[in-house]
Amino acid sequence: MLVYLWEYLSQYYYLTLLVIASYFFILSLANHYEMWRFTLASEIFDGPLVSVLIPARNEEQFIERCIKSLQNQMYKNYEILVLNDNSTDNTLGILNSIAAADSRVRVFNGKPLPDDWYGKPFALHQLEQQARGEILIFTDADTVHTPTSIAWAVTNMRGLKADLISGYVGQIFQSFGEIITVPLMFFLTGFVIPLFLNRFVKVNWFAAAIGQFIAVRREVFSAIGGCESFKKKTSEDIYMCRYIRGKGYRTRFLSITDHVKCQMYNGYRSAIEGIGKNTFDFLGKNSILLFFLIIVVFFFLFFPFPLLFLCIAYSSRWTLHILIVVLLYTLTWLFMFLGQRLNWWYGFLWPLLFLNLIYMAAWSWFRTVSGRGFTWKDRSVS
């Protein structure tokens, strides 16, 4: 009886796998085309005042490199604001030395963190209060900018009539653990969310942003209540974009790989903690939704890989079918990595990425519901 039941259900399982794999593959190509087709080259080098806002907490290793790259911009009218967010290392000393030699750089000391705020949103809030620009660019202290990054932002906001733009910056990996963790942030915007729909429908779930680089019109940012609207969110970049999209403003997700580079994390554990703290929060801390997605990821995204070997071993009539599924998943990730100017062979690691996603989601859930929270930049986040 069980054998007949499995035979009956398996045909729908394999068909579902093929549909999902085909959707991912086709959409990955469509999203890559969307970003390539509508990303404009830097053409505007003067215009409204742009405020570049950088929160810095214990960033002595990266902050000087970041600011120096921003001091060398081809765009003329901009200021650089940096918040020393109660650093315990030499971040402030480095900042003061840079600011003393360049009037465009303004340094502020962060206030004590209130109980009803998370660290990064509060840092961004303090910077936004001091900014004078018509356009705000939020960027991280570990980014490195080419001389065209600000001009690129202004050009694309004006050319695409966008109120907020963000996208993929060039990622730098220095360990295997980073390779199987950081690319998971490509998953939704790479081949789940149809990016082209941002041009036609005003659904905030299609909105996407990455906090390494977000450019937004000051007027629009104020319309959602500024950082107050996401002051208790760990994935503040996503919620900022969702709220702006929800108000009917235009958001675009593009490719910034040629203009901004970043090594987000230093090793596997750092990557798990950095991305994992946002995973459950991204789902609105909904346990049912999280466990449903874990089941989906295991059976429909990871399991096809070991299933292929089982089918071969038992000469299953579904062997060719599952081989096509595995091939489509592999090509999807190959094209994703190539589109981000990364090594093509990373694409063969997709089973490890999905297995790692399951672990990270479960870890994020456990740390949240157990009350242990997360420690990030020497701060506790619940």
Side-chain angles (χ1 to χ4, degrees):
M1 183 66 177
L2 290 176
V3 173
Y4 289 117
L5 180 61
W6 166 245
E7 283 295 322
Y8 176 76
L9 294 177
S10 63
Q11 58 184 328
Y12 295 104
Y13 174 68
Y14 286 109
L15 177 61
T16 303
L17 283 179
L18 185 59
V19 169
I20 293 174
S22 301
Y23 174 82
F24 283 176
F25 178 68
I26 294 171
L27 192 62
S28 69
L29 297 180
N31 280 352
H32 180 72
Y33 175 78
E34 176 76 10
M35 288 186 286
W36 172 79
R37 170 66 178 82
F38 290 99
T39 298
L40 306 176
S42 304
E43 295 179 349
I44 299 175
F45 298 99
D46 198 7
L49 177 64
V50 175
S51 297
V52 182
L53 311 181
I54 309 170
R57 179 173 171 82
N58 296 334
E59 296 285 0
E60 64 178 4
Q61 183 179 356
F62 303 109
I63 192 62
E64 183 173 10
R65 182 185 64 181
C66 174
I67 295 178
K68 283 188 174 181
S69 70
L70 285 164
Q71 288 176 300
N72 190 34
Q73 292 293 305
M74 297 175 68
Y75 190 81
K76 302 182 185 304
N77 191 20
Y78 70 100
E79 61 177 359
I80 303 170
L81 282 67
V82 191
L83 184 85
N84 170 47
D85 190 9
N86 300 284
S87 298
T88 56
D89 60 6
N90 192 39
T91 297
L92 180 59
I94 296 171
L95 290 174
N96 286 336
S97 177
I98 295 173
D102 190 340
S103 60
R104 295 173 302 176
V105 180
R106 293 194 285 150
V107 176
F108 305 92
N109 281 315
K111 299 175 182 178
L113 181 63
D115 292 337
D116 59 339
W117 284 81
Y118 282 164
K120 187 173 181 181
F122 188 57
L124 297 179
H125 173 69
Q126 294 174 80
L127 285 166
E128 188 263 336
Q129 296 295 305
Q130 299 292 335
R132 300 184 294 234
E134 182 179 325
I135 294 174
L136 306 177
I137 293 180
F138 300 100
T139 193
D140 289 344
D142 52 6
T143 55
V144 179
H145 299 247
T146 67
T148 57
S149 70
I150 296 179
W152 178 89
V154 176
T155 300
N156 279 274
M157 291 187 76
R158 181 174 295 179
L160 300 177
K161 296 180 173 56
D163 300 299
L164 178 149
I165 59 171
S166 185
Y168 294 133
V169 308
Q171 300 297 329
I172 301 171
F173 304 137
Q174 293 188 349
S175 72
F176 185 76
E178 294 167 59
I179 295 172
I180 64 170
T181 306
V182 176
L184 289 169
M185 72 182 199
F186 301 155
F187 181 45
L188 287 177
T189 47
F191 41 89
V192 175
I193 297 175
L195 295 179
F196 66 89
L197 289 180
N198 279 310
R199 291 187 280 122
F200 305 110
V201 298
K202 297 179 180 179
V203 179
N204 59 5
W205 274 92
F206 294 145
I210 295 178
Q212 294 164 328
F213 191 97
I214 297 176
V216 59
R217 290 201 300 119
R218 177 68 170 275
E219 178 184 357
V220 170
F221 191 67
S222 298
I224 66 166
C227 297
E228 291 267 0
S229 62
F230 49 84
K231 65 180 181 179
K232 203 72 172 178
K233 301 292 185 182
T234 54
S235 45
E236 75 291 328
D237 46 2
I238 296 294
Y239 283 95
M240 180 197 306
C241 191
R242 283 181 184 175
Y243 295 153
I244 286 175
R245 186 72 183 177
K247 289 282 189 179
Y249 295 107
R250 296 181 178 181
T251 66
R252 300 299 291 270
F253 193 87
L254 307 169
S255 176
I256 322 174
T257 54
D258 294 331
H259 303 276
V260 185
K261 305 291 183 185
C262 179
Q263 182 186 357
M264 290 183 69
Y265 305 109
N266 183 22
Y268 178 67
R269 178 48 55 186
S270 172
I272 286 291
E273 292 176 352
I275 298 178
K277 65 181 173 58
N278 299 327
T279 306
F280 193 35
D281 183 69
F282 174 80
L283 298 173
K285 298 182 179 178
N286 186 322
S287 296
I288 296 176
L289 179 58
L290 179 97
F291 286 117
F292 172 76
L293 290 179
I294 286 177
I295 292 171
V296 169
V297 170
F298 181 82
F299 285 105
F300 293 96
L301 302 185
F302 164 74
F303 192 61
F305 180 72
L307 183 60
L308 173 62
F309 296 96
L310 290 174
C311 287
I312 293 173
Y314 290 96
S315 301
S316 170
R317 64 190 179 98
W318 297 105
T319 300
L320 179 60
H321 190 104
I322 199 67
L323 178 62
I324 294 173
V325 170
V326 169
L327 180 62
L328 286 173
Y329 278 167
T330 303
L331 289 175
T332 298
W333 281 102
L334 280 173
F335 289 141
M336 171 60 66
F337 283 115
L338 287 172
Q340 301 309 311
R341 312 287 199 274
L342 294 168
N343 291 326
W344 61 270
W345 62 266
Y346 292 170
F348 291 99
L349 300 175
W350 63 265
L352 289 178
L353 269 86
F354 285 134
L355 198 60
N356 197 30
L357 175 59
I358 293 171
Y359 164 71
M360 188 164 55
W363 178 82
S364 179
W365 173 83
F366 174 75
R367 298 290 298 193
T368 303
V369 301
S370 68
R372 297 187 181 186
F374 311 92
T375 300
W376 188 248
K377 299 290 184 180
D378 298 323
R379 278 197 179 119
S380 294
V381 181
S382 59

